[in-house]
Amino acid sequence: MPGRKRYNRIVVWMRRAMRVRDNIALYAAIQDANEVVPVLCLNTEKRYEFDTPRRRYVRSAIASLDSELRSRGSQLFVLSGDIVDELPRFAKEVGAEVVFGVDVYDPVSLNRDQQLRRGLFRAGVELLLLKDRVIFEKQEILNQSRQPFKVFTPYKKAWLEFSDSIPPLLPDIRSVSSPADADGRFSLSRQKSFANADRDTEAVGLRQLKQFVKRKVLSYKEQRDFPALEATSKLSAALSLGVISIRQVYWAAIEQKRNADKRGRENIDTFISELIWREFYYQILANYPHAAERSFRDEFNKLDWSENKKYFTAWCEGRTGYPIVDAGMRQLVQEGWMHNRVRMIVASFLTKDLHISWQWGEKFFLEHLCDADIASNNGGWQWAAGTGTDASPWFRIFNPVSQGKRFDPNGDYVRKYVPELKNVPPEFIHSPWMMDAKSARGIGFGKEYPAPIIDHAVERDVAIEMYKKAASRK
Ligand SMILES: Cc1cc2nc3c(=O)[nH]c(=O)nc-3n(C[C@H](O)[C@H](O)[C@H](O)COP(=O)(O)OP(=O)(O)OC[C@H]3O[C@@H](n4cnc5c(N)ncnc54)[C@H](O)[C@@H]3O)c2cc1C
């Protein structure tokens, strides 16, 4: 019978799906219930008023979600405290029979979801988590022996073979019917730290996607490795919080590919390949959860890492004396984002030049990145440290000077984030210590900007020995 719904009320837990468009859980709930109650729980241990780029982005994503829902006749219902206690209480209070949400794959969240499921069960409420954050999850793409892949290239090939089955985007939601929030008890406006937050994050994310696929994606492959060019999509933060969906990004790229010439199509294929890296790391974490805590490859759990706090602080603060490393780390702290090429360089530097564990770097990135994502971050760090899924990558040691010269040839990226070096000529910008006294005069090298804290050539050999020893203990 048309119009007949299975449920009276469904609570939709909006974590990591902070949008109204192409939102699988929200859309399914609207189809299945007379009323839906979109909810988020603010963890009171996290100080939302802190003004880091990441906190600002999270606040604006939440405020934007509330606005989008209000413009459709609903609102975001905001709880405060521990979700495991608060959500069952709330679901019971509003008389919901079921909570819809989206699946996540890291062990910490999975453990919390188990506790939540038990709490909801005790309250007589079911928890239904749907696939939304990835196109293909966990066991959907398997090798011929029906095992999950451990290597990217064959995974990508299999992923692309399945791409015909990717569903289209969901129809837009025009209205959301929700119960009244008497006295505004659950209103976001009660939370002072959200008063000045931007409220258009979803619209901005979609605009950014549209602009990127219109132009930049057509030269993505050729320009994506040059950090001074702003040639990548910068959609990672929106994807990380679910402000836009991975399907929206995929379909926008495919749509543009239909109109593109051969060169454009090749560039778009490289972009899609990056989306598949994201999927790859999600399925790695889901199928091999030990990687969240330890090296993916067991032999590298025995690496003899240094705990030199002085070096670690220099790396965090962008004061290692290697300009491209320092520029990257300063970009991270100032903007909450770092270019992918530079992420690889700074991660290689921490692990292979300073011999500090990838886990220290992983944690620092998670604290500062607006796009902080456990799967991609862990995958990226283990790739750079050579402890992850590749075959023999520990030989891969980036030379920060030659990487700088190759990918930031004029030093524009370095000069932007390391203003102390703004007058250094291009031939010395990645190795200012090579300048003769005359060229260095007035630049402040060695005073305002540090001399290199280590010698790359020496530390490279130390790293090779360290890894060789660990690999031979296999
Ligand atoms: C040490 C290290 C840590 C990283 N930590 C994170 C993280 O916490 N969160 C995160 O989203 N990405 C992470 N990455 C991957 C990558 O650097 C970022 O996704 C990318 O720089 C984001 O910029 P963009 O949106 O302009 O990417 P684009 O180049 O425009 O790519 C489009 C999208 O594809 C995905 N993507 C691109 N490259 C990768 C990749 N190598 N691995 C996985 N997904 C990718 C992202 O979702 C990205 O938004 C990390 C990489 C390294 C080397």
Side-chain angles (χ1 to χ4, degrees), residues 161-219:
E161 279 161 15
F162 274 89
S163 60
D164 283 348
S165 66
I166 299 174
L169 298 182
L170 296 168
D172 273 353
I173 291 166
R174 294 225 164 78
S175 71
V176 181
S177 174
S178 301
D181 174 14
D183 311 329
R185 229 175 100 209
F186 300 105
S187 172
L188 187 65
S189 58
R190 293 207 160 196
Q191 310 277 338
K192 284 195 195 71
S193 48
F194 287 79
N196 298 319
D198 292 339
R199 303 186 77 90
D200 57 355
T201 314
E202 184 172 345
V204 169
L206 288 172
R207 215 160 41 234
Q208 212 176 310
L209 170 62
K210 206 169 156 193
Q211 279 161 4
F212 174 74
V213 294
K214 196 168 156 203
R215 205 169 52 82
K216 286 187 184 167
V217 79
L218 297 169
S219 50

Side-chain angles (χ1 to χ4, degrees), residues 262-280:
K262 185 166 173 290
R263 191 189 132 212
R265 286 200 299 276
E266 276 171 19
N267 278 280
I268 294 171
D269 281 343
T270 304
F271 179 69
I272 291 172
S273 197
E274 293 308 311
L275 303 181
I276 303 175
W277 269 107
R278 179 178 177 277
E279 302 257 308
F280 177 67

Side-chain angles (χ1 to χ4, degrees), residues 220 232-236 274 337 340 343 371 373 377:
Y220 178 80
T232 67
S233 70
K234 288 204 164 174
L235 288 169
S236 50
E274 293 308 311
W337 187 83
N340 180 59
R343 291 187 203 204
D371 62 34
D373 180 286
N377 194 41

